[in-house]
Amino acid sequence: MAVILIPTGYRPPASSPAAPAAALSPAGRAKWFPAAMEEHHGQEPHHPHPGHGGGPAGTAGPAGQHATGWRMAAQATLHCLTGCAIGEVLGMAAGTVLGWHGAGTVALAVVLAFGFGYALTMRGVLRTGVPFRPALRVALAADTVSIAVMEATDNAVMLAVPGAMDADLATARFWGSLAFSLAVAFVAALPVNRWLIAAGRGHAVVHGH
């Protein structure tokens, strides 16, 4: 029996019955390997699953959307809290310096809180090129309910804490009571903002600009 040694790297010549180079094209594969092509075309197309590298970035299920809604609500509440805190500090400080009693100080603090809250929202909206009056309407729609809840809660706490309204600006009682009242106001306004955003209201209006 004769043994034929085939050297390493040997390739059959062009006259070999092996598939020619043209078989590498789609038409060639269909000619030379019809069964394989039929099997390939009979397979179901693969659809990437969201969250597994093929879906849109950030796609999430109900749990992810729920968490995102609360994050947006927390950001909106913190935004309102910033304006309210500025107004409250200035209002309470001015009322204390002027010797006003509860009602006058509370009224001034509420007015300033709404003013600064609206101003902070309008500043961001105006930067996008929105004219003044439409920007004011956006701020009113976005912040009115949230600030109202915060102010009602904040001032109720300040009035409930003994001596808080009459405390001197240099005392820990004044600043401690004010910080505590703002923290309670944040907790009270957070679920309200969550509901407003879910309904397409509140700070959801700002995100449209």
Side-chain angles (χ1 to χ4, degrees):
M1 176 184 296
V3 178
I4 300 175
L5 298 178
I6 301 177
T8 304
Y10 170 78
R11 295 181 179 178
S15 60
S16 169
L24 297 178
S25 66
R29 288 198 299 269
K31 176 181 178 182
W32 284 83
F33 313 107
M37 293 299 292
E38 290 177 2
E39 180 181 353
H40 172 76
H41 288 295
Q43 295 176 351
E44 292 291 333
H46 174 70
H47 298 285
H49 298 284
H52 292 281
T59 302
Q65 294 175 358
H66 182 75
T68 301
W70 280 108
R71 282 196 297 270
M72 291 179 62
Q75 293 173 357
T77 307
L78 185 61
H79 176 90
C80 290
L81 182 66
T82 303
C84 286
I86 296 173
E88 284 289 331
V89 169
L90 292 178
M92 293 292 180
T96 302
V97 170
L98 295 173
W100 292 358
H101 294 288
T105 302
V106 168
L108 179 59
V110 169
V111 170
L112 292 176
F114 272 95
F116 279 100
Y118 290 146
L120 289 178
T121 298
M122 285 186 64
R123 182 184 64 172
V125 177
L126 288 171
R127 285 179 177 176
T128 65
V130 177
F132 181 85
R133 294 181 69 177
L136 177 59
R137 288 195 294 268
V138 170
L140 292 174
D143 290 337
T144 299
V145 175
S146 178
I147 295 177
V149 172
M150 280 192 170
E151 285 304 296
T153 305
D154 170 75
N155 287 291
V157 172
M158 287 294 292
L159 291 171
V161 175
M165 299 297 297
D166 300 322
D168 189 82
L169 293 178
T171 62
R173 179 186 294 274
F174 174 83
W175 294 105
S177 300
L178 184 58
F180 175 69
S181 66
L182 290 173
V184 175
F186 178 90
V187 175
L190 179 60
V192 175
N193 280 314
R194 173 68 178 87
W195 178 81
L196 289 171
I197 291 173
R201 299 165 62 187
H203 267 253
V205 179
V206 178
H207 291 287
H209 297 78

